[in-house]
Amino acid sequence: MNMENAIIREIYRINNHLPARRPTLAQLLEQEEPSVRLRDGSSHSFRRAELEKIRALVDPGDEEKLLIPIVLEIVSDFRGYFRIRGRVAVKVIDRLLDSYDPLEEAEERLYPRYLLPRVRRELPTTTTYAFISE
């Protein structure tokens, strides 16, 4: 096995905690006990209070567009930063961090890594890490 394949396999292994499929915020709010199946076959439950907090941060109608959990990407090329992808997810994190600017809506944004603990403290069950090698 070459080194590149070994790295890809290791990244897949350390991302085994990610959901097999990410439901929308609207789908989770309809569930009595919101949860998702993970790649490793286990289940992850979401706190309803967090889902409601996120609902308050999204614009009406965006509940159908926002995939949960929000993925905090730790990318090898972006030392000192993490990435969020998706217009609605970026908007949620911007609003959570009090940095939302309606004139600067983006599909993707880099955030300083020192903000990770704050995001995870506010949204521990509705965010997750993904490790990316680019």
Side-chain angles (χ1 to χ4, degrees):
M1 176 184 329
N2 68 30
M3 184 61 102
E4 187 173 320
N5 286 344
I7 291 170
I8 290 169
R9 287 179 64 146
E10 185 63 15
I11 289 172
Y12 183 81
R13 187 189 66 74
I14 63 174
N15 283 326
N16 218 16
H17 67 283
L18 294 172
R21 181 189 70 77
R22 291 169 54 208
T24 66
L25 175 61
Q27 290 169 331
L28 290 170
L29 288 167
E30 291 174 358
Q31 295 178 11
E32 189 173 316
E33 294 183 23
S35 66
V36 68
R37 176 87 34 217
L38 303 179
R39 289 180 182 176
D40 66 6
S42 63
S43 181
H44 173 77
S45 297
F46 299 102
R47 291 186 190 136
R48 184 157 300 279
E50 281 180 55
L51 295 172
E52 294 295 343
K53 182 177 198 166
I54 292 173
R55 176 192 273 174
L57 294 171
V58 300
D59 294 333
D62 280 350
E63 300 92 341
E64 297 287 341
K65 299 173 187 169
L66 180 62
L67 299 176
I68 303 291
I70 296 170
V71 178
L72 312 171
E73 295 181 5
I74 309 300
V75 184
S76 61
D77 289 351
F78 305 133
R79 291 211 166 127
Y81 293 89
F82 68 99
R83 176 173 60 196
I84 303 288
R85 291 195 225 195
R87 185 188 58 79
V88 180
V90 168
K91 190 183 298 187
V92 166
I93 299 303
D94 281 351
R95 286 178 174 167
L96 182 76
L97 298 172
D98 296 322
S99 62
Y100 176 67
D101 181 351
L103 299 177
E104 287 190 34
E105 287 192 5
E107 283 294 321
E108 167 179 315
R109 179 153 298 153
L110 293 176
Y111 297 89
R113 220 179 258 185
Y114 69 82
L115 293 172
L116 271 174
R118 181 173 170 199
V119 172
R120 292 290 290 163
R121 189 171 41 254
E122 297 280 331
L123 303 172
T125 70
T126 54
T127 59
T128 191
Y129 296 107
F131 298 93
I132 313 288
S133 178
E134 293 185 340

